[in-house]
Structures are given as C-alpha cells and as structure tokens.
Amino acid sequence: MMNSKANDMKRRTMIMLAAAVTASSILVSGQGIANAQDGRSSQQQMGSKEIVDSRSNVKHAMDQAAAHKLTPGIFAVAMKSGESWSYASGQASIYDSYPIKSNYSFRIGSITKSFTATVILQLVDEKKLSLEDTVEKWLPGLVQGNGYDGNKITVRDLLQMTSGIANYTTEKFIIEYEKTPFRNYSTEELIGAGLAIKPSFAPGEIGKWEYSNTNTALAGEIIRKVTGETYAQQVKERIITPLGLKDTYSPGSSSHIPGLHARGYSIPFGSKDNKLVDFTEINPSWGNAAGDMISSGRDLNTFYSALLGGKLLKSETLQQMLNGVETPIGLYGLGMIGVNLPNGKTFWGHGGNIHGSSSFAGGLVGGEHVMAISINAMHADTSEQQFNVIKAEFGQ
C-alpha cells in the first residue's frame, strides 16, 4: 500500500493529464468511502441486444470499474462500422441509487486539446501559419525571460509538449484552486503562472517531453492572434457547427453543466481520509484551451470519427498529428495520444481528467471504430479503468 505522500504524487500527475497508462504505473490501493451502491445497476443504453451482448468482456470491464470504492459510475458510447452501442454501470451520485446513463454530458478536461490542436492544424492547411513558426512570431515578447526564448519554441513544440515550458498546474496551484473552485482565471494569468517557473528542458531537446497545460493555453492564444477570435469561437465555427455537435461547447467561466449529467467527484489534494468530494459545479476557466470543454459520448465519437477519418484535416496533416513521440503515457502526437494495444492496433485520442470527471475518447485511424468513456469521478485508478475498457473493445 502506498503512503499518503505517494498517493498525493500520483493524484498530481492525474490532474488534467489525459493518459491511458499501464496498471503498474498508476495503481494505488483504494481506501475510502463505501458508495451507496450495494445495489449497483447496469444497463444497455442503445444499440441492438446482439451488439451489446457481443461485448460481454467490455461490460465486464465496466462493471468491475463501477465496483471500485471510488468510482460511482461509468458509461461508454461506441460506434463501429456505422453501428452504435452504449453501456452504463453504477450510479450518478454517491448519495442515492439513481443509475448513471450513457446520454449524459460531462466535462471532458484535456480532450479539449484535440479540438484546439485540430483548429491549429486547419490553419496550417489553410497556410495561415506553419508548425515551424515560432511562438515569438505570433506572440512577440510573451515567452521571454526566466530561461525562455520564444524564438526557439515552435508551434509544433507546443502541440507535442516538447517546448520545455513548465506546467502551470502545479501542486500549489491545485491546492489553491480546490479552496476556491469558483475563482475565475484569465489566459494571461495562467500563462504567466507557467512562465514564472523555469523551463524543464531546452525546446526540442532530443528525448525530452513533459505534459504542460501552458503549451496549449499558448496555442489557444496563437489561434486568437491568427484569426482574431478565441479558440472557443474557432472550435465552434470549424468543428462544432459543421459536425452538428449538440452537446459540445466551452463554458468559459460558467460553473453550470446544462442538460442531463451526473454528479462529479474528486479526492482533494492532500486528503488524509481519501474520500470523494463533490466538484460538479466548478469554474473551469483554469482549463482554458487545454481543458475547459463539455461534451457527450455521442458528440466525441462524431468528432474523432471525422478527425481520424480525414474529414477535418488533409491527409498529410493528419499524419503529422499522429506522428507521436515516445512518452510515459504512450505516443504523443499533436494534441493526440496513441495507445498501443496488445493486438498491435493503436488507439488514437485523448483523455481528460478535471475535478469531478475522468474521460477518454478516440478510436482507430480511418474513423470507423471510435469510443468515448466517462467516469463521474477522478482518482488514481480511473485511467487504468478506462484503458481496460478500451482494450476489451478494440482487442476484438
């Protein structure tokens, strides 16, 4: 069993870090509340009985996840060759027995990075910017000093997390945020917090990589500089509206999740009793272009199917997006994570951990087989639980 300090370190790596990682790297023994779920329910949500029944191993992985003391509920929505199905297990709240459902909306955290990166790459396709453009070119004077030089950091570095720019989501940041979860953060404040920390390594240094939300916040600012609109406006115009995504948007500083949704829980940083706390309503502005969006399983499947199917980017640009570097969380491309599965396939997508929600979405190249998974809690085992579901679905 890990001590509380080790648990804290694990949770810190999970904050906004979208990862499908091996069990050995995230496994933390579960101490904590017994959720009011002794009579847990599970249900088929859509798709023919034959389609769902053929996925008994996927359902088993989800039921196992829902049996975890710190996982109230989990649902998945998938599409393969035009056929859709979904399944949900567990509860929408730890205080009653209302079942979680697969048509719920949820905070997608760092899955937002795939949307932001797609807009950048569309601008590349339109020759409005280049991946080799420097940060200094678009944001003159912003990334300078304290060891930083924006002349040496490229747009590609930002999207691939090879810039060396420190992550503003530090242990101190998380602790302060959890004390005041409705506080509003400006983009300038977030970027400034990251740049106040010295670089982790030189830009593009071979073998170096570090997940940093500051990178994507800067990418969002480049979108604003190139287009004259915020990243959220551009995502809406270029992706949400054309694809008809009804449940997807950036809430800005609003703490409300419209429509049907579960209650969301997290374990506060440094918690000694390891109990879930309700973080359903939070100000997500601290996520910015790196993680503030809300969506649904159906919408995320539509997005990743279009993206991986070559409908949003030119083929050569999509290939660059999926040209990942080796990292502790798998291959990392341009706003995309590549998870190598035991059968040799690679699942491309992204995950999102934000207070009250842990999710992962994506699929196989070609866009014919996609899946979105949502858990209404964030703790050290949620990525392993999602990875088990992905292995079960895409290993068939």
Side-chain angles (χ1 to χ4, degrees):
M1 181 183 299
M2 295 184 180
N3 60 31
S4 61
K5 183 176 180 181
N7 283 339
D8 286 346
M9 292 178 66
K10 287 294 182 183
R11 280 197 291 275
R12 185 176 76 176
T13 65
M14 294 296 295
I15 300 294
M16 293 285 290
L17 175 56
V21 293
T22 59
S24 62
S25 66
I26 64 170
L27 190 58
V28 177
S29 58
Q31 303 289 320
I33 66 171
N35 295 318
Q37 302 184 91
D38 293 336
R40 287 177 181 272
S41 62
S42 58
Q43 61 277 332
Q44 171 183 337
Q45 293 291 322
M46 65 180 183
S48 70
K49 185 177 186 300
E50 291 75 16
I51 294 174
V52 178
D53 286 349
S54 70
R55 287 170 166 79
S56 59
N57 55 340
V58 183
K59 292 163 63 179
H60 177 68
M62 294 176 66
D63 288 340
Q64 279 192 318
H68 191 293
K69 291 181 179 180
L70 298 177
T71 298
I74 179 174
F75 66 83
V77 183
M79 180 180 70
K80 184 177 182 180
S81 301
E83 292 186 309
S84 296
W85 73 276
S86 67
Y87 184 75
S89 184
Q91 313 301 334
S93 166
I94 63 175
Y95 297 112
D96 59 44
S97 58
Y98 190 77
I100 196 167
K101 296 184 178 179
S102 62
N103 62 342
Y104 282 171
S105 294
F106 53 94
R107 300 189 191 279
I108 66 172
S110 287
I111 293 175
T112 302
K113 290 179 173 67
S114 289
F115 287 85
T116 301
T118 298
V119 171
I120 288 280
L121 292 173
Q122 287 182 337
L123 293 172
V124 170
D125 279 343
E126 296 164 9
K127 301 189 183 307
K128 294 179 179 177
L129 60 78
S130 166
L131 287 172
E132 310 316 320
D133 284 348
T134 65
V135 173
E136 182 68 16
K137 174 179 178 177
W138 292 107
L139 305 173
L142 182 58
V143 183
Q144 294 293 340
N146 197 31
Y148 292 105
D149 183 355
N151 290 295
K152 298 179 180 179
I153 300 171
T154 66
V155 174
R156 186 189 301 275
D157 287 329
L158 296 181
L159 297 184
Q160 198 152 48
M161 307 290 179
T162 53
S163 70
I165 296 175
N167 191 1
Y168 64 75
T169 321
T170 62
E171 176 180 330
K172 179 180 178 181
F173 183 97
I174 297 166
I175 291 172
E176 290 301 313
Y177 174 78
E178 290 177 342
K179 292 177 182 177
T180 56
F182 296 102
R183 174 184 170 183
N184 189 65
Y185 290 86
S186 68
T187 303
E188 293 75 19
E189 184 178 8
L190 297 172
I191 292 174
L195 297 178
I197 307 168
K198 289 191 175 298
S200 300
F201 50 84
E205 185 175 345
I206 295 175
K208 297 291 186 178
W209 179 91
E210 184 174 278
Y211 193 91
S212 171
N213 292 312
T214 316
N215 284 315
T216 318
L218 284 164
E221 281 299 279
I222 290 175
I223 290 172
R224 184 183 61 79
K225 191 66 176 289
V226 174
T227 68
E229 293 186 329
T230 65
Y231 105 89
Q233 290 172 311
Q234 283 286 294
V235 166
K236 182 177 181 180
E237 292 173 18
R238 293 171 171 271
I239 301 172
I240 294 174
T241 299
L243 294 181
L245 307 183
K246 304 298 185 183
D247 306 313
T248 305
Y249 59 95
S250 167
S253 60
S254 173
S255 61
H256 182 56
I257 304 176
L260 298 173
H261 61 275
R263 303 303 297 177
Y265 305 91
S266 295
I267 302 171
F269 193 91
S271 171
K272 297 186 187 305
D273 54 14
N274 209 29
K275 288 186 177 181
L276 296 176
V277 173
D278 194 317
F279 279 98
T280 309
E281 286 82 27
I282 60 172
N283 184 332
S285 60
W286 70 282
N288 202 267
D292 72 357
M293 289 177 64
I294 290 171
S295 189
S296 65
R298 186 187 297 270
D299 274 10
L300 290 177
N301 282 345
T302 299
F303 166 62
Y304 278 111
S305 179
L307 178 60
L308 292 167
K311 296 177 181 178
L312 297 178
L313 300 172
K314 293 180 179 179
S315 59
E316 59 269 25
T317 308
L318 179 60
Q319 288 176 6
Q320 290 197 68
M321 190 181 206
L322 305 183
N323 183 20
V325 297
E326 294 285 351
T327 79
I329 64 172
L331 298 171
Y332 202 92
L334 306 180
M336 293 279 274
I337 297 173
V339 181
N340 292 322
L341 301 174
N343 61 6
K345 298 178 183 178
T346 300
F347 179 98
W348 281 101
H350 215 290
N353 288 310
I354 188 169
H355 287 80
S357 177
S358 181
S359 54
F360 210 103
L364 304 182
V365 173
E368 288 296 309
H369 193 182
V370 291
M371 179 182 235
I373 307 163
S374 174
I375 295 173
N376 61 329
M378 184 183 69
H379 57 76
D381 292 343
T382 50
S383 283
E384 179 194 359
Q385 292 171 344
Q386 292 157 10
F387 188 34
N388 287 340
V389 175
I390 290 170
K391 286 192 297 182
E393 169 69 12
F394 290 85
Q396 299 190 80

